[in-house]
Amino acid sequence: MSEPSLESMSDYDSLTGEKRRVVWAVIIAGLLMGTIYVTVDYFYGNVDDSLKVEDSVKYAPLK
């Protein structure tokens, strides 16, 4: 199966029809997922009840 060349592609100059809707759907879905991620990270990303560890690791034991 060979790949189409630029000369043989019917929508090389501009996207029309179904392909145009698919491209816009992918762009909108990406923006929507990014917005949801930023919103969730803003509200739940900062943890205030973290544990403080006083001991420092001086060396890692070899097994």
Side-chain angles (χ1 to χ4, degrees), residues 9-15:
M9 292 178 68
S10 62
D11 62 349
Y12 174 67
D13 293 328
S14 64
L15 290 176

Side-chain angles (χ1 to χ4, degrees), residues 2-4 7-8 15 22 33-34 36-38 44 52 56 58-59:
S2 65
E3 295 184 17
E7 291 81 18
S8 66
L15 290 176
V22 168
M33 289 188 317
I36 291 170
Y37 175 78
V38 168
Y44 298 109
K52 297 198 186 241
S56 63
K58 305 260 190 268
Y59 65 93

